[in-house]
Amino acid sequence: MNAELLSTDPVSAARQLLGAVIIARGVSARIVEVEAYGGPLGGPWPDPASHSYRGLRLRNAVMFGPAGRLYTYRSYGIHICANVSCGPEGVAAAVLLRAAVIQAGTELAHTRRGVTVRSAALARGPGNLCSALGITMDDNGIDVCDSRSAVMVVGVEDSSSSTSRSDMYQHGPRVGVSAAADRPWRFWLTGHPEVSGYRRSSRAPQPGAST
DNA sequence: GGTAAGATCAGC
DNA sequence: CTGATCTTACCT
C-alpha cells in the first residue's frame, strides 16, 4: 500500500483500506470493515470519538505521525485493536480495522482464536481481528507500507485481484462510540458475513441529538 | 495515590 | 445484559 494514498482525510483513507489485504505472522486477510477517526478540535477533522481528540498523548502519538503506521491500543483491558494512521504528518487521524476475511493461514488463525470459532467470525470485530492475525501492543508504530514489516497492508491497486475494485460498499454510524455516534464513518463491503452487526453504545445520546 | 471509564467480546 | 481486566487521565 502506497503511504501517499493514506496521507489524505480519514474517510478517503478508510475507502483505500477497504478491500486491501493485511498480512501478519502467517495469516493474510482481506479487510471488509473499517472506521474513520479524526483528531482534535483545532484540526481539519475534529472528532470527539477519536482517541486523539484531546491532543497528543503518549498512547496516541502514532495518530499524529506519518500515514501508514499501525496504531494499536488495548480495549477494555482485554483486547487489542489496530488502526492505520492517515493524514499528513503532524495531523491526527486513523482508520480502525474492524473485520476481515481470512485468505491464507486459516489453520493458524483457528489456533489463535479457538477451534470451535466459525470461519466468518475468525476476524470479525477489531479485537478478534488482531487476535487472528497475532497483532499485539508491541506492533504499535509499525510501518504497514513497508513490505519488510511484520504487519503489512497490500492495497487494492497493487493487488492482482482486479475484482476488488468493483466491490460495492456501504457506510453508516460507527460501532460502540459514545460521542459523535451519528457520524457515518464506518465503511464495509456489502454481502460479507464477516462484517459485525451495528450496536450503538449504551452511553451514546439519543440518535439525532446535537453535535 | 485512588479511581472511573473505555473505538470489546463471550456467555448467560 | 453483564463481567472480565488493564491503561490512561484526571482528581484529591
Side-chain angles (χ1 to χ4, degrees):
Chain A
M1 162 86 60
N2 185 355
E4 297 276 315
L5 294 172
L6 302 174
S7 307
T8 59
D9 64 283
V11 169
S12 300
R15 290 199 290 239
Q16 289 293 333
L17 288 163
L18 205 53
V21 172
I22 181 168
I23 304 165
R25 295 187 238 278
V27 175
S28 76
R30 184 153 179 257
I31 300 165
V32 294
E33 182 189 359
V34 296
E35 278 175 1
Y37 284 90
L41 258 181
W45 315 293
D47 184 2
S50 173
H51 286 167
S52 56
Y53 185 59
R54 285 157 202 197
L56 177 63
R57 300 282 186 279
L58 197 59
R59 171 174 84 157
N60 61 24
V62 174
M63 288 188 73
F64 289 82
R69 304 299 166 87
L70 203 68
Y71 164 48
T72 55
Y73 69 93
R74 190 175 296 277
S75 177
Y76 290 88
I78 309 195
H79 304 102
I80 304 298
C81 300
N83 300 249
V84 174
S85 67
C86 59
E89 183 159 9
V91 179
V95 176
L96 173 68
L97 309 180
R98 285 201 59 91
V101 184
I102 307 291
Q103 289 185 323
T106 311
E107 198 169 314
L108 191 46
H110 267 293
T111 304
R112 291 173 177 146
R113 290 274 296 120
V115 194
T116 63
V117 177
R118 296 181 30 171
S119 60
L122 276 175
R124 174 167 56 205
N128 291 337
L129 187 151
C130 285
S131 171
L133 291 170
I135 294 172
T136 72
M137 281 302 289
D138 292 336
D139 297 321
N140 192 42
I142 279 185
D143 183 358
V144 299
C145 297
D146 187 337
S147 57
R148 293 165 298 183
S149 294
V151 181
M152 60 169 293
V153 173
V154 178
V156 172
E157 79 284 355
D158 305 322
S159 168
S160 51
S161 60
S162 53
T163 58
S164 37
R165 272 206 179 282
S166 60
D167 273 311
M168 298 285 104
Y169 71 87
Q170 299 178 278
H171 66 108
R174 294 173 289 189
V175 173
V177 298
S178 53
D182 297 324
R183 192 179 296 191
W185 274 12
R186 180 167 71 114
F187 301 84
W188 65 94
L189 296 182
T190 47
H192 286 281
E194 290 82 4
V195 173
S196 40
Y198 175 62
R199 303 179 315 283
R200 168 172 277 252
S201 168
S202 57
R203 294 177 291 274
Q206 288 305 107
S210 65
T211 75

